[in-house]
Amino acid sequence: MALLEIDGLSFSVPARAVLEGLDLSVAAGEIHALVGTNGTGKSTLAYLIMGCEGYRAGSGEIRFDGRRIDALPLHERARLGITLAWQEPARFEGLSVGDYLRLGKGRMGAEECLHRVGLAPPDYLTRMVDKTLSGGERKRIELASVLALDPRLVILDEPTAGIDLLSIHEVMELIRTFKAGGAAVLLITHREELARMADRASQLCGGRIVCSGDPDTVAISYRGRACLKCNGKDCHDD
Ligand SMILES: Nc1ncnc2c1ncn2[C@@H]1O[C@H](COP(=O)(O)OP(=O)(O)OP(=O)(O)O)[C@@H](O)[C@H]1O
């Protein structure tokens, strides 16, 4: 049985269906890449799994470890071990990086988490999680905070956005760390090298998964930023 199972998930915003009967599963210890063109609903799916405010499915089921979670509030899903690293990390005025990372009760200490995301100097611990951090530093600290939680399901929404090209291998190493710890990883990405490191990949178009399986095959289908099924017209029009 997969750790995360999604069946027939639908979600609409005013005047537009974003997801229409989406099925997806991710096993423990599996890195599952999710690709798709801008606006196809990848982040929306992440928010629905996490249970963010305003994101309740119109129909369908989300199960975690065999239990239905789609009616649970966000904090209860977090308590089960589900976590999301945002595409655009939040700032927390007045909260130090050290205290932020110590909120997690995982196996790794705050310094070790920072080290894993390439922020080695200990003075980062006393910095505030605010606008004085660069965009890339905040992104790394967001990833460190996920590591500090020791999650069972990690949803990473474009984890390399804002990270310099030379450091992408550090993010890939971090993703392997989650997998090695037995976590399921849902990896939302536009980067081919990230999609190709996954165990499986799925492409979202027209509110559904249109292509799923070997990451190389899915990445080739996606390379042209178009869906093989509808050739970029948008599967909603089928
Ligand atoms: N509250 C909302 N009101 C109106 N439209 C919304 C709302 N939330 C999301 N959408 C729309 O739903 C669609 C899916 O958005 P989403 O952010 O999930 O896409 P995405 O696949 O993550 O895109 P990207 O690759 O650009 O990050 C977009 O067209 C977006 O404009």
Side-chain angles (χ1 to χ4, degrees), residues 11-43:
F11 178 78
S12 297
V13 292
R16 184 178 186 292
V18 180
L19 302 181
E20 288 185 283
L22 178 138
D23 300 326
L24 183 74
S25 67
V26 188
E30 179 192 359
I31 302 170
H32 194 123
L34 182 64
V35 299
T37 51
N38 291 133
T40 40
K42 302 178 298 298
S43 296

Side-chain angles (χ1 to χ4, degrees), residues 11 13-14 16 18 36-45 47 55 87 157-158 188 190 204 222:
F11 178 78
V13 292
R16 184 178 186 292
V18 180
T37 51
N38 291 133
T40 40
K42 302 178 298 298
S43 296
T44 301
L45 175 63
Y47 304 154
Y55 288 86
Q87 190 172 354
D157 196 352
E158 297 192 24
I188 298 171
H190 289 294
L204 181 54
Y222 181 57

